[in-house]
Amino acid sequence: MAEEQTELEERIIIKDQHTKEIDLVNRDPKRINEDVVKVDFEDVIAEPVGTYSFDGVWKTSYTTFTVSKYWCYRLLSAILGIPLAVVWGFLFALISFCHIWAVVPCIKSYLIEIQCVSRIYSLCIHTFCDPLFEALSKICSNIRVALRKEI
């Protein structure tokens, strides 16, 4: 009985990871579209002082812009929202798959191989270059430079 309860809880937890509750009020909690999509009537159409249209035209233009933007967005999201969600879900699944199964193993393999190569390279440098540079430093150690200012 206890095992069945634990198994049921595990299934519920696994299901909740994929079907978690979403916030229908705050739909951009991380504010990724805050500066891009906020376009109001005043951001697009503005009349400078001295070139005003009739008040009725201005009010009607405002209402037309706001309502058409609202309904066009809702219509487009109703028609294309779910297909694009499938496309984006597939794309990000593909990116995750490639990263998990190809990129990270290649990087790890490269780091293992390069560590071996770096040891051999370091051994060669210490064997052949260190004595050469020590000899050059002993040759050049007695060089003295004197600067004089001539007037």
Side-chain angles (χ1 to χ4, degrees):
M1 182 70 177
E3 290 179 14
E4 291 177 7
Q5 182 68 22
T6 305
E7 188 177 315
L8 181 62
E9 288 175 0
E10 287 177 5
R11 286 185 193 164
I12 291 171
I13 290 171
I14 291 171
K15 184 179 178 185
D16 286 343
Q17 290 174 354
H18 300 292
T19 60
K20 66 180 184 178
E21 287 292 321
I22 59 172
D23 187 358
L24 293 176
V25 176
N26 183 12
R27 296 187 185 192
D28 190 9
K30 295 183 181 179
R31 307 210 186 289
I32 60 173
N33 288 320
E34 188 169 290
D35 56 339
V36 179
V37 186
K38 279 178 43 176
V39 178
D40 291 326
F41 181 75
E42 296 85 11
D43 298 325
V44 178
I45 301 172
E47 293 180 334
V49 176
T51 54
Y52 288 161
S53 61
F54 294 112
D55 290 344
V57 171
W58 186 253
K59 289 178 185 178
T60 306
S61 298
Y62 173 81
T63 304
T64 304
F65 176 88
T66 306
V67 170
S68 63
K69 183 182 86 160
Y70 175 77
W71 282 105
C72 284
Y73 176 79
R74 291 193 104 183
L75 182 65
L76 286 171
S77 64
I79 295 170
L80 299 174
I82 293 173
L84 285 174
V86 170
V87 168
W88 288 116
F90 177 77
L91 179 67
F92 283 107
L94 184 65
I95 291 169
S96 298
F97 177 82
C98 288
H99 185 77
I100 292 167
W101 291 100
V103 174
V104 172
C106 284
I107 290 171
K108 292 292 184 182
S109 173
Y110 174 77
L111 291 174
I112 290 169
E113 293 300 320
I114 202 71
Q115 184 179 15
C116 179
V117 171
S118 72
R119 286 184 181 168
I120 295 170
Y121 177 76
S122 176
L123 182 63
C124 290
I125 292 295
H126 289 303
T127 302
F128 299 112
C129 294
D130 283 357
L132 173 68
F133 289 126
E134 284 180 27
L136 287 173
S137 69
K138 287 182 181 179
I139 291 171
C140 297
S141 65
N142 288 327
I143 296 176
R144 304 279 183 244
V145 177
L147 296 174
R148 292 186 208 161
K149 188 174 184 182
E150 293 185 21
I151 299 178

